[in-house]
Structure formats: structure tokens, C-alpha cells
Amino acid sequence: MTESLSVLSAAVRDVRDFPKPGILFKDITPILSNGRLFRMAVDCFVEANADLRIDKVAGIDARGFLFGAAAAYQLGIGFVPVRKKGKLPFQTESASYSLEYGESVVEMHVDAIIPGERIVLIDDLLATGGTAAAASCLIAKMGGLLVEAQFLIELEFLAGRKALSHLPVRSFLKF
Ligand code: AMP
């Protein structure tokens, strides 16, 4: 596992000044485009959830879909998208949040979660924690029990765990 994590860490590409000056963007596409690395990354989430009795994965738009949906498939459980405003066709609940680089709104379908379901929240990266905190509010509104928030990458200097102090948080690659 430790060896897999250092291989994955080394594959994350730093892109300076994207999408705005001053932001160091952690690009995961080198992981996605390599079958062995993509499987390693998805397996981190699958192994983390093997014993948590999860009913559904909630994945955050858009890169959380990539790992979340693959992990849900392997775990044999459902996947629900937490999407940016205006993308979901049916009735939604929404929550607003601030990003490392801007403001946004996330939405979920009102029937995405059955009250009492055990949910794991998955995204590619934890920065300030605003997105995941907003998603956790939506899950709570729908009566879901958010068991853990999980991220492939955590930018520790942005202290996102503080914004999520009400939740168990797990990340695999720390920068
Ligand atoms: P935050 O709400 O600040 O925790 O931001 C997390 C969300 O923004 C995730 O969906 C990430 O994909 C994206 N994000 C924020 N900062 C970065 C970054 N430096 N590199 C890549 N993605 C980022």
C-alpha cells in the first residue's frame, strides 16, 4: 500500500496558475490515463470502504465522479452525483460554498438518498473543505448518514479537515 501511494503521489502533475494565478492545480489526469495507476487509485477507495457497510457513494462533480463511480461499481453499491448548479434534471436540494478559487452551488436530487442510508462522500481532492462541507449538508438534509468523507489528495496547508471537523475524513495522498 505504501509503495502504491508513493507511485500515485509521483504521478500527480502540478500545474501552476490554473485556473487562476496563484493556484497550484493538482492534475490527476496522468493517473487516469494509466490503467495500473487508475486501478491503484480506485482500489484505495474500495479497500477503505470494504468494512464500512456503505449503502451508496456520493461523488462530487466532476472528478469525484471518476473515482466514486468506479469504487461504487466495484463495491456493488449505488452512486449518486453531487452536481454543480443547474445540471440535474429533477427536483433538487442545494447548498452554496466557497472554493479555493471562487464561489459555487452544489445540488443533489431530492430522492437520491433514502433516509437512514449509510453514505460515503468521495472527491479527488480536499482543499479548503467548502465543497465537501456543502455536500455533507445536502446528505444530512436528505436523512443520509455520512459515514466518512474520502479524498485521493489532501492539501494539508489549506486545513480542509477543520471545515469538516464534524466528520471522519480520510485521504490517501497528502501534499
Ligand atoms: P475545496 O472546496 O476548497 O475543498 O475544493 C475542493 C474542490 O475543488 C475539489 O472538487 C477539487 O477538485 C477542486 N480543487 C480545489 N483546489 C484544487 C487544486 N489546487 N487542484 C486541483 N483541484 C482543486
Side-chain angles (χ1 to χ4, degrees):
M1 185 70 161
T2 316
E3 198 192 322
S4 306
L5 295 181
S6 53
V7 171
L8 285 172
S9 258
V12 175
R13 175 165 54 199
D14 285 350
V15 181
R16 286 195 183 283
D17 299 322
F18 182 87
K20 284 186 176 174
I23 302 295
L24 183 64
F25 193 87
K26 294 289 184 187
D27 178 16
I28 53 150
T29 61
I31 293 176
L32 300 174
S33 64
N34 178 306
R36 190 174 66 96
L37 298 183
F38 185 39
R39 186 184 289 275
M40 269 183 199
V42 173
D43 283 348
C44 289
F45 292 101
V46 171
E47 284 163 25
N49 289 295
D51 299 323
L52 295 183
R53 296 180 294 107
I54 301 297
D55 295 307
K56 277 178 187 156
V57 172
I60 296 180
D61 198 345
R63 289 179 293 277
F65 296 170
L66 304 167
F67 300 112
Y73 173 84
Q74 183 62 27
L75 291 162
I77 59 178
F79 174 85
V80 295
V82 179
R83 296 220 63 183
K84 287 169 189 152
K85 190 176 171 59
K87 299 285 186 187
L88 289 169
F90 186 58
Q91 206 182 328
T92 57
E93 287 279 6
S94 64
S96 60
Y97 66 101
S98 47
L99 263 183
E100 190 187 359
Y101 43 79
E103 279 277 319
S104 201
V105 173
V106 285
E107 298 182 332
M108 286 179 87
H109 275 155
V110 290
D111 61 355
I113 290 170
I114 299 165
E117 280 187 323
R118 292 171 61 80
I119 308 296
V120 63
L121 182 65
I122 290 184
D123 201 0
D124 67 325
L125 182 142
L126 174 62
T128 65
T131 317
S136 79
C137 288
L138 289 179
I139 292 165
K141 266 189 199 175
M142 281 164 222
L145 175 65
L146 185 47
V147 176
E148 199 163 271
Q150 298 173 355
F151 305 88
L152 183 66
I153 298 168
E154 177 175 2
L155 301 183
E156 290 184 301
F157 64 97
L158 290 172
R161 274 177 195 258
K162 277 195 186 156
L164 301 177
S165 58
H166 57 297
L167 278 181
V169 172
R170 193 187 305 230
S171 68
F172 304 105
L173 312 176
K174 297 175 201 317
F175 290 91

